[in-house]
Amino acid sequence: MNKLVTTALFSVLCVATSVVFATPNIQHWKTDNGARVYFVQAAELPLVDVRVVFDAGAARDGDMPGIALMTNGMMSEGAGGWDADNIAERFDSVGAQFSNSSHRDMSVFNLRTLSEKEWMGTAVKTFATILSKPTFPADAFERERKRLLISLEQNKESPESISGEKLFENLYRGHPYASIPEGTEQSVKALKRTDLMAYYRRYMVGNNAIVAIVGAMDRKSAEALAKTIVGELEPGKAAEPLPEVKDRQQAEEVVVDFPSTQSHISIALPGMKRSDPDEFALYVGNHILGGSGLVSILSDEIREKRGLSYSSYSYFAPMRVQGPFIMGLQTRNDQAQEALKVMRQTLSEFINNGPSARQLESAKKNIVGGYALRMDSNKKIIDQVASIGFYGLELDYLDTYIARVQAVSVDQIKDAFMRRVNPENMLTVIVGAQTPAQAAN
């Protein structure tokens, strides 16, 4: 590793977290092959962050669970004439940072590089080659498959992993969101290298790509950069729209007997998608209910008044289509049923009565007060910009955010929760050792 370059970049990164506070000005255009580009000029630091997002997450797995994750991971195992070591050395030699990840909605590739041409050129060329010329080496494919199978075995020992898997599997039964991103032992063993290559050719294309750029360059340079990064991708076609999620019609309880001292409890139902008309009423309302940590109503009822759990939470996870609304906690096995009862009662009372005016005012101050912290570094800005691009939000989404939070009323929260959160139809997932009384029921 070039120690001098790395030290220089590290010093710059340490400063980067406290520079950008203003709402970013987002510029938008398309490349010739259909990729949508979102650019924010941030000249304060000699850095450029790039994120390329494809609509190629686990929701596109079809009958091959795990293929999105494997394809994403394999793209940096070999590209052009380089193997994984060559790729790592190229990024390392110029102090650049590369990462990739795969989620239910999206496949993500990140690059952070210094903006000086001498170093940026190598980083960008390597990044572009990973995206446009992956070779899917056969030996790396077998190695990554074994690694994923080991990870799947380890997940069986994690109550948290089991809980998350059971929740999505049962909440989205029959929908693409039910697919487990890591796949199953059977599906991973059945994957072929040629399957990954076909998946890459279908989904890693210009018309299915979002490019977010935040950094020290002007619009002309950003246009050239975007062209270099994704210009060699085939235009292809955007992924088909995902089916809407059906409303749940009845309650369901899934219990997994697991040898642990603590039970993991979740109750959930399909919540909202990005750009949902109830987004801000549900978000602000949930902040009061269980989204604000130790000062939330849920924490007060579960932790402060009854000492049933150290922490409890609730959140909406808006996605391409209806992501989940989840309430959860961990508690001693012998307290599981009591904690579940209190969690359900707290939700019902909140839906029926809503928050107080004082609670709403406090929540708005907390959200607005913390808003600047959501954009106080280029990395956080690119999180926001890439999300706006991927989910097709308005370019002024960040500009209007505070005003939309401030506009939420108690009645709007009550109305939104009443229409959207039906406690009678929720899925309950409990993972933990069953007490004799529970096992007898």
Side-chain angles (χ1 to χ4, degrees), residues 117 186 213 229 293 307 367 372 378 381:
K117 286 185 178 179
Q186 183 180 12
I213 302 171
I229 290 171
I367 294 170
N378 288 0
I381 292 174

Side-chain angles (χ1 to χ4, degrees), residues 125-145:
K125 181 178 180 181
T126 309
F127 189 62
T129 303
I130 288 172
L131 297 179
S132 61
K133 297 181 175 64
T135 53
F136 299 94
D139 57 341
F141 173 73
E142 293 302 333
R143 183 179 65 246
E144 291 305 306
R145 190 215 301 269

Side-chain angles (χ1 to χ4, degrees), residues 120-436:
M120 184 175 172
T122 298
V124 169
K125 181 178 180 181
T126 309
F127 189 62
T129 303
I130 288 172
L131 297 179
S132 61
K133 297 181 175 64
T135 53
F136 299 94
D139 57 341
F141 173 73
E142 293 302 333
R143 183 179 65 246
E144 291 305 306
R145 190 215 301 269
K146 289 179 181 176
R147 185 178 300 176
L148 184 52
L149 289 171
I150 291 172
S151 176
L152 288 171
E153 280 299 310
Q154 292 172 337
N155 287 347
K156 295 178 182 177
E157 305 302 319
S158 166
E160 186 175 5
S161 295
I162 294 171
S163 178
E165 180 180 323
K166 293 298 179 185
L167 189 146
F168 273 87
E169 180 181 294
N170 291 280
L171 192 63
Y172 292 100
R173 193 177 291 123
H175 187 275
Y177 281 170
S179 181
I180 306 303
E182 293 84 1
T184 64
E185 181 178 349
Q186 183 180 12
S187 70
V188 171
K189 285 182 176 177
L191 286 175
K192 300 181 179 63
R193 174 174 169 266
T194 51
D195 294 330
L196 273 59
M197 296 170 73
Y199 187 92
Y200 166 81
R201 290 192 295 270
R202 167 63 185 91
Y203 290 110
M204 309 314 192
V205 295
N207 281 302
N208 205 38
I210 299 294
V211 182
I213 302 171
V214 177
M217 59 175 49
D218 57 21
R219 166 70 179 259
K220 184 177 179 181
S221 297
E223 290 182 3
L225 175 60
K227 184 176 182 180
T228 299
I229 290 171
V230 297
E232 293 192 31
L233 296 177
E234 293 294 327
K237 295 181 179 179
E240 295 294 325
L242 291 173
E244 293 292 313
V245 179
K246 296 179 180 177
D247 291 337
R248 291 180 59 83
Q249 300 301 315
Q250 61 184 16
E252 181 183 2
E253 186 166 299
V254 176
V255 179
V256 179
D257 193 7
F258 188 87
S260 59
T261 57
Q262 295 270 311
S263 290
H264 291 245
I265 303 174
S266 302
I267 60 175
L269 81 174
M272 64 174 164
K273 56 187 175 183
R274 294 304 305 255
S275 72
D276 192 293
D278 289 322
E279 175 185 359
F280 283 86
L282 293 174
Y283 170 67
V284 175
N286 179 70
H287 189 84
I288 300 165
L289 172 63
S292 51
L294 297 180
V295 298
S296 69
I297 294 174
L298 190 62
S299 181
D300 186 51
E301 296 292 335
I302 296 286
R303 182 178 189 271
E304 297 299 327
K305 293 182 178 177
R306 298 172 176 83
L308 293 171
S309 176
Y310 180 76
S311 66
S312 54
Y313 57 86
S314 67
Y315 63 90
F316 285 91
M319 298 170 67
R320 178 73 86 187
V321 291
Q322 292 86 346
F325 166 67
I326 301 175
M327 301 178 74
L329 55 80
Q330 297 175 40
T331 189
R332 278 192 350 235
N333 294 326
D334 62 343
Q335 298 180 146
Q337 291 303 315
E338 182 185 0
L340 177 59
K341 181 180 178 181
V342 175
M343 190 157 59
R344 287 171 171 163
Q345 285 177 340
T346 303
L347 175 61
S348 294
E349 289 172 7
F350 184 79
I351 293 171
N352 293 328
N353 302 321
S356 67
R358 182 185 59 79
Q359 288 171 324
L360 177 57
E361 187 60 28
S362 177
K364 288 180 179 178
K365 287 181 179 176
N366 185 261
I367 294 170
V368 172
Y371 185 65
L373 296 177
R374 298 175 63 175
M375 289 181 290
D376 64 355
S377 71
N378 288 0
K379 279 190 173 181
K380 291 182 182 178
I381 292 174
I382 207 165
D383 287 344
Q384 301 285 347
V385 173
S387 181
I388 287 170
F390 185 80
Y391 290 112
L393 307 181
E394 297 294 330
L395 291 184
D396 66 352
Y397 180 84
L398 298 176
D399 299 325
T400 61
Y401 186 90
I402 290 178
R404 297 173 76 177
V405 168
Q406 295 283 26
V408 172
S409 68
V410 168
D411 288 342
Q412 287 174 333
I413 292 173
K414 290 174 64 177
D415 174 63
F417 269 78
M418 188 75 73
R419 286 184 290 104
R420 305 292 297 273
V421 182
N422 185 348
E424 301 298 322
N425 294 338
M426 296 187 79
L427 168 70
T428 300
V429 177
I430 304 174
V431 180
Q434 297 295 289
T435 64

Side-chain angles (χ1 to χ4, degrees), residues 74-144:
M74 279 295 298
M75 286 173 63
S76 57
E77 290 297 319
W82 309 314
D83 61 19
D85 290 339
N86 299 145
I87 290 171
E89 288 167 1
R90 288 181 64 85
F91 285 131
D92 210 30
S93 69
V94 292
Q97 298 174 348
F98 167 82
S99 64
N100 52 330
S101 59
S102 182
H103 313 274
R104 277 189 167 78
D105 270 344
M106 57 183 74
S107 180
V108 181
F109 299 84
N110 293 307
L111 173 67
R112 164 164 276 203
T113 175
L114 290 167
S115 57
E116 283 84 352
K117 286 185 178 179
E118 178 184 355
W119 294 332
M120 184 175 172
T122 298
V124 169
K125 181 178 180 181
T126 309
F127 189 62
T129 303
I130 288 172
L131 297 179
S132 61
K133 297 181 175 64
T135 53
F136 299 94
D139 57 341
F141 173 73
E142 293 302 333
R143 183 179 65 246
E144 291 305 306

